[in-house]
Amino acid sequence: MQDANTTSSPMTTPGGSPSGAPRRNLRALSHNELVSLLDELGQPKFRAKQIEDWLWVKNASAFEDMSNLPKSLRAALSERCTLGGVEVAARQLSSDGSRKYLLRFDDGVSVECVGMPSRNKLAVCASTQAGCGMKCAFCATGASGLTRSLTASEIYEQVMHVRDDFNTRVTSVVLMGQGEPFMNYDATLEALRRLNSPEGAGIGARHLTVSTSGVIPMIKRFANEPEQFTLAVSLHSAVQRTRDMLMPGVKKWSLLHLYDIMGEYVDKTGRRPTYEYALIKGVNDTEDELSALCDFCRDNLAHVNLIKLNEVKGSRFQPSSDARAGEFVRRLASVGVEATIRNSRGSDIDAACGQLRQNVERNND
Ligand code: SAH
Ligand code: SF4
């Protein structure tokens, strides 16, 4: 596998263009940049729409496939641009039908995404950054640090790749792969909008979920976005000391502050936020922790997703028992808080965040 820490820009590829300038990644151009490129090539504006359809709806991987463009335009574009695209560095199939991919971009940086089919649905879990700088103690991605943030098109392409691999429509997307979406806010929002757009993947906003470790200024911003995107917050403890230990990257924002901002979020949007809570034996599954969680969640429209901790090799943390998870559900229900135990999909295929990468790197050592 190539060096995941390479820092070259994902936007350009050396050589190739008639002027000797590096070829530009067509998928990285904004609509206006595309229109002005077409203008330079003496092409009418409507070609931009046709090209965008090939890129964002049909997920074209070759200029020759763009059959409604004149041959001369296809040739001119391929001299000046690349199509970006991803390469599969690893692919694992689970007995439950899930597929997990390690996808590599053209600068050698790779990220994980997962496709999870069920009946006539296909959910995709995608990454927003390569690695993550938030350093959560239980997370395999957090252990390796941040390589770089992804562009909007790199986030979007993961979803298209899974769609094409399953050859079926994607019905929901969760940004719960690698990375902290709210440390890459603009690209994340642009990707969500394209996923939502009828001129893109056409997925309903409520079926597009962002998960954050709790970057408060961005939760505030997110509450003001016009779309009905869904928000999940990784809580993992409602006791300040425990949360600081588990999630040092968000230590500067207190739980009290998070509680207040989530209150504002609910008032503003009327939408139900989800709190993610990975149960860790003896750490956040004690009686005190359960009482604090009940206090944090009652009366604020919360839905709690209890996740069985995915064991990360070399980690000191272990998952709680099923009985303990059941007790959490009962106690939360007794104070009027809805809670579910999340079914861990693909548990036989390095399902936890960051694990596929770890194993591929280990095998390539
Ligand atoms: N950075 C964002 C989104 C990506 S992580 C966030 O933290 O919310 C997606 C979810 O997986 C988060 O809820 C995260 O806390 C959880 N997670 C990370 N490592 C895990 C592990 N080993 N077991 C269970 N859940 C884990
Ligand atoms: Fe980053 Fe989320 Fe992992 Fe924390 S849990 S290190 S925020 S990816």
Side-chain angles (χ1 to χ4, degrees):
M1 202 171 103
Q2 288 179 39
D3 179 12
N5 291 320
T6 176
T7 51
S8 68
S9 160
M11 308 297 175
T12 56
T13 304
S17 93
S19 63
R23 289 197 294 163
R24 301 159 85 188
N25 178 352
L26 196 60
R27 285 188 161 89
L29 301 188
S30 67
H31 176 76
N32 289 344
E33 286 169 330
L34 179 59
V35 169
S36 72
L37 172 66
L38 289 166
D39 191 46
E40 275 168 39
L41 296 173
Q43 292 287 330
K45 271 206 182 78
F46 74 86
R47 295 279 182 223
K49 181 110 190 43
Q50 289 178 317
I51 293 171
E52 282 165 343
D53 190 54
W54 284 108
L55 296 179
W56 309 125
V57 181
K58 300 195 179 86
N59 197 28
S61 54
F63 287 103
E64 304 89 78
D65 296 344
M66 302 184 178
S67 50
N68 56 356
L69 304 185
K71 271 206 165 104
S72 56
L73 175 57
R74 283 183 251 166
L77 285 174
S78 67
E79 279 174 3
R80 286 163 181 79
C81 301
T82 68
L83 276 176
V86 292
E87 199 182 283
V88 183
R91 182 173 177 269
Q92 290 184 334
L93 306 180
S94 162
S95 53
D96 69 11
S98 306
R99 298 179 195 170
K100 180 155 183 164
Y101 313 80
L102 185 65
L103 300 180
R104 188 154 57 209
F105 301 112
D106 53 13
D107 66 346
V109 165
S110 52
V111 297
E112 293 172 16
C113 66
V114 187
M116 296 162 284
S118 60
R119 270 173 267 124
N120 50 357
K121 294 198 172 132
L122 177 61
V124 175
C125 174
S127 297
T128 54
Q129 297 183 307
C132 182
M134 306 305 279
K135 299 192 166 54
C136 298
F138 49 85
C139 173
T141 306
S144 51
L146 176 68
T147 301
R148 70 166 169 85
S149 283
L150 303 188
T151 63
S153 65
E154 288 171 335
I155 300 169
Y156 185 83
E157 274 173 71
Q158 296 166 58
V159 179
M160 290 292 120
H161 180 84
V162 177
R163 179 196 72 171
D164 291 351
D165 194 48
F166 278 88
N167 195 23
T168 183
R169 204 168 72 83
V170 173
T171 46
S172 65
V173 176
V174 290
L175 297 180
M176 287 193 184
Q178 292 170 284
E180 170 47 60
F182 283 177
M183 295 304 263
N184 185 20
Y185 189 90
D186 292 341
T188 295
L189 255 282
E190 197 184 326
L192 286 173
R193 293 206 163 112
R194 191 167 284 151
L195 288 166
N196 181 222
S197 165
E199 281 147 17
I203 303 167
R206 286 163 192 267
H207 302 290
L208 297 171
T209 301
V210 184
S211 175
T212 179
S213 53
V215 179
I216 284 184
M218 297 302 146
I219 295 179
K220 212 169 174 156
R221 215 168 135 187
F222 196 66
N224 288 304
E225 302 294 353
E227 296 89 351
Q228 305 252 301
F229 300 131
T230 298
L231 180 64
V233 173
S234 296
L235 186 62
H236 302 310
S237 175
V239 174
Q240 192 68 57
R241 211 170 350 104
T242 313
R243 194 165 193 265
D244 288 351
M245 182 272 288
L246 291 176
M247 306 180 71
V250 287
K251 215 170 163 171
K252 65 178 159 194
W253 298 293
S254 69
L255 275 164
L256 213 59
H257 200 169
L258 179 64
Y259 183 86
D260 286 346
I261 211 79
M262 291 309 291
E264 280 176 36
Y265 172 86
V266 170
D267 288 346
K268 186 138 214 154
T269 64
R271 296 201 294 274
R272 182 187 289 277
T274 298
Y275 292 98
E276 307 285 322
Y277 200 101
L279 285 162
I280 310 175
K281 191 187 263 170
V283 175
N284 64 359
D285 70 348
T286 61
E287 275 311 297
D288 287 351
E289 292 279 339
L290 177 50
S291 304
L293 178 63
C294 289
D295 288 344
F296 190 93
C297 293
R298 75 174 87 205
D299 307 325
N300 69 0
L301 218 63
H303 178 99
V304 178
N305 240 337
L306 296 164
I307 314 156
K308 224 163 153 207
L309 184 79
N310 272 305
E311 282 188 81
V312 174
K313 284 198 184 84
S315 163
R316 64 186 191 280
F317 298 124
Q318 279 163 9
S320 309
S321 66
D322 289 344
R324 200 67 197 132
E327 180 60 19
F328 264 60
V329 174
R330 274 188 297 280
R331 282 277 294 282
L332 284 160
S334 75
V335 294
V337 178
E338 212 180 80
T340 45
I341 301 176
R342 196 165 81 198
N343 191 2
S344 178
R345 298 291 305 271
S347 48
D348 55 338
I349 56 162
D350 301 329
C353 186
Q355 287 191 358
L356 177 59
R357 164 193 293 275
Q358 272 194 340
N359 284 347
V360 168
E361 283 174 354
R362 202 170 301 121
N363 292 339
N364 286 344
D365 276 349

